[in-house]
Amino acid sequence: MFLIDVLTIFPGMFSGILNESILKRAIKAGVVNVKLHNIRDYSKDKHHKVDDRPFGGGPGMVMKIEPIYDAIKDVLKGRKKSIPRIILLSPQGRALTQDFAEELSKNRHLILICGHYEGVDERVREYLITDEVSIGDYVLTGGELAAMVLIDTVVRLLPGALGDKDSAKSESFSNGLLEYPQYTRPADFMGKRVPDVLSSGNHKIIEKWRREEATKKTLLNRPDLIKT
Ligand code: ADE
């Protein structure tokens, strides 16, 4: 089974996404196990402090390395088999793309570390992790939402996570293009009609139309995706 260990100071943030829809089903079906670990539980400080002031001065607080180190050590205890990817979520990381998510889904075990405050002690980056991942060029209040995005993106790629009706194949990005437009009933909504070609029954023409529409949409919305 695919295992995801999440190290966070806000484990409660994850209950929504793990208890609804496809992730809930995948967990129930034994496709994935998501374990939440509160980094505060690993603080040796009597107030369960996980942050401290930055050396050299400056604003804000920095996440300490010891509780993160101890949490990782605990998560790895007794596990000899697969070597996990140990991922720090931060805006400084490698961009999460569909290709990267597919690469991550080929592993068996991910450990996600959710950063906070002004940042984490640089030695976490230098000595404890295998990857640093960003979900986009904007700054979140913490790594939790980014971890949830990563979990959602990776889990839906795991065998058995999606039912027959939710296909991971013909969708945006899997062929380098955005998705073609989809329609369902009614064929006429307040005078706005579904393109006739889709009711033609001619699958060749429909496929051609969809390819053209996907290309048009990609050129318009995301020209950077079209490799030259
Ligand atoms: N933490 C704060 N902002 C982030 C981002 N954009 N991606 C990943 N982790 C983050």
Side-chain angles (χ1 to χ4, degrees):
M1 191 196 310
F2 199 96
L3 174 60
I4 304 177
D5 283 294
V6 184
L7 314 188
T8 169
I9 54 171
F10 296 117
M13 284 180 75
F14 290 79
S15 53
I17 65 139
L18 298 177
N19 289 303
E20 298 285 353
S21 184
I22 288 165
L23 289 183
K24 177 185 182 181
R25 204 172 63 199
I27 291 166
K28 205 162 161 226
V31 169
V32 62
N33 185 7
V34 182
K35 288 193 195 160
L36 302 169
H37 309 269
N38 194 332
I39 299 171
R40 276 190 205 288
D41 295 343
Y42 294 92
S43 170
K44 296 193 175 84
D45 182 83
K46 68 171 183 288
H47 302 295
H48 301 288
K49 249 176 77 132
V50 291
D51 60 332
D52 210 332
R53 291 189 310 269
F55 274 112
M61 300 292 268
V62 175
M63 267 179 107
K64 291 156 71 67
I65 186 171
E66 296 122 304
I68 296 175
Y69 173 79
D70 286 338
I72 294 173
K73 213 167 79 176
D74 193 33
V75 160
L76 293 178
K77 206 166 53 195
R79 289 186 64 86
K80 289 198 194 74
K81 281 184 290 179
S82 55
I83 299 163
R85 297 282 283 257
I86 305 181
I87 300 170
L88 173 67
L89 282 311
S90 120
Q92 299 167 38
R94 173 179 167 190
L96 181 64
T97 60
Q98 192 63 26
D99 282 349
F100 190 16
E102 270 163 35
E103 181 193 323
L104 292 174
S105 75
K106 304 284 183 327
N107 294 269
R108 300 287 308 278
H109 184 194
L110 306 180
I111 299 175
L112 307 182
I113 305 166
C114 305
H116 263 275
Y117 311 113
E118 288 306 302
V120 300
D121 189 304
E122 190 66 17
R123 289 166 294 184
V124 169
R125 277 190 188 85
E126 288 173 348
Y127 304 116
L128 300 186
I129 64 173
T130 62
D131 301 83
E132 186 169 6
V133 176
S134 164
I135 63 159
D137 290 339
Y138 39 80
V139 182
L140 302 163
T141 55
E144 280 75 11
L145 284 170
M148 290 184 228
V149 168
L150 189 152
I151 292 169
D152 191 273
T153 314
V154 169
V155 169
R156 65 186 290 286
L157 295 170
L158 300 177
L162 296 183
D164 285 345
K165 51 188 178 67
D166 325 286
S167 157
K169 284 217 179 70
S170 123
E171 65 189 13
S172 292
F173 302 115
S174 65
N175 59 1
L177 295 176
L178 300 182
E179 203 172 0
Y180 52 77
Q182 299 271 23
Y183 299 89
T184 187
R185 278 181 292 211
D188 186 324
F189 175 68
M190 292 169 43
K192 308 287 182 207
R193 290 195 48 79
V194 170
D196 287 337
V197 58
L198 297 176
S199 315
S200 68
N202 185 330
H203 293 294
K204 259 211 160 105
I205 294 179
I206 291 173
E207 204 188 305
K208 180 166 172 283
W209 180 86
R210 284 178 165 166
R211 220 175 25 247
E212 286 168 359
E213 291 300 314
T215 308
K216 260 196 258 173
K217 195 185 275 203
T218 310
L219 278 170
L220 195 66
N221 292 356
R222 294 292 307 276
D224 55 298
L225 290 178
I226 308 237
K227 294 170 191 98
T228 46

